[in-house]
Amino acid sequence: PKFDVSMVERELRAIDSEYRNALAADSWRNYQLLKHSANPGHPFAKFGCGNYNTLTNGGKIVNDTTTEGGTSPVDDLAWFWKTYYQTYNIKLCVTGRSSLDA
């Protein structure tokens, strides 16, 4: 896929909006408290969500470049897709009432 900078920027803004909306939700706060109290060595305790600032390392994407010392996640997204979206990583699960022998 093409990782167009304007589309990545749009998605970053949507993620940031969802993050800001969740901050006031009691269920989100309880979940964060649970994560904070978990064993620090367990994967559950790891950072699980981000906002615009964390996903750009403090920068802003303007005209295909990152300003204010941050980084653009475009290259990271392309690397992630190229590395993990491969056929050897795909699994298929089929459920239904019909027999597979039919």
Side-chain angles (χ1 to χ4, degrees), residues 44-77:
F44 180 72
K46 289 183 177 181
F47 184 72
C49 64
N51 59 20
Y52 189 92
N53 190 46
T54 61
L55 295 172
T56 60
N57 293 319
K60 292 184 179 175
I61 301 173
V62 179
N63 297 329
D64 297 350
T65 59
T66 307
T67 62
E68 300 179 16
T71 59
S72 171
V74 173
D75 293 336
D76 293 333
L77 289 169

Side-chain angles (χ1 to χ4, degrees), residues 6 57 70 73 86 101-102:
S6 64
N57 293 319
Q86 302 296 325
D101 298 324

Side-chain angles (χ1 to χ4, degrees), residues 4-69:
D4 183 41
V5 174
S6 64
M7 297 306 288
V8 172
E9 171 73 12
R10 182 177 164 196
E11 189 62 27
L12 287 170
R13 296 293 178 188
I15 291 168
D16 191 63
S17 176
E18 291 173 9
Y19 172 80
R20 290 179 190 278
N21 288 337
L23 288 176
D26 286 339
S27 59
W28 187 82
R29 290 178 181 180
N30 287 334
Y31 184 69
Q32 293 307 312
L33 181 62
L34 181 63
K35 287 176 70 69
H36 182 72
S37 63
N39 177 351
H42 192 276
F44 180 72
K46 289 183 177 181
F47 184 72
C49 64
N51 59 20
Y52 189 92
N53 190 46
T54 61
L55 295 172
T56 60
N57 293 319
K60 292 184 179 175
I61 301 173
V62 179
N63 297 329
D64 297 350
T65 59
T66 307
T67 62
E68 300 179 16

